[in-house]
Amino acid sequence: MSLIGTLIWWLFGGLVEAIGWFILGIAWSITIIGIPVGLQRFIGALTLMPFNATVVSTGGAGSFLLNIVWFFLGGLVMWASHVFWGLLLSITIIGIPFGRQHFKLAALSLSPFGKQIN
């Protein structure tokens, strides 16, 4: 059943979102200054298998500053994309669990620095 749920997730936005996270991660990693931001983009691996994963905040002042930069240079776009998919999927009862995962990823896309995935 988990395999079927993951395949459905990929069909309804998960794969598109994961590709977006990875492409932006590669683009950020081209420059030396952008490598920390690019590496954080690879947190998008969670987008491939979001079920049973939790996001834990580790915080810090450096994380706060990087999250501000992140918000304006890509985080807002990823947030809007996840919210769009979440709202679209939440229209039906069957799509609600998938929409909830998009909302979880939307929160992560606003401030990924200082976060750890368990």
Side-chain angles (χ1 to χ4, degrees), residues 29-49:
S29 296
I30 289 173
T31 65
I32 291 174
I33 296 171
I35 288 175
V37 177
L39 290 175
Q40 199 65 25
R41 280 281 192 191
F42 292 113
I43 225 171
L46 171 67
T47 309
L48 289 175
M49 300 270 210

Side-chain angles (χ1 to χ4, degrees), residues 6 28 45:
T6 300
W28 272 99

Side-chain angles (χ1 to χ4, degrees), residues 6 13 16-17 19 31 33 40 57-58 69 72-73 75 83 93 98:
T6 300
V16 172
E17 293 295 327
I19 290 170
T31 65
I33 296 171
Q40 199 65 25
S57 180
T58 57
V69 172
F72 293 108
L73 299 177
V83 168
I93 291 174
F98 300 103

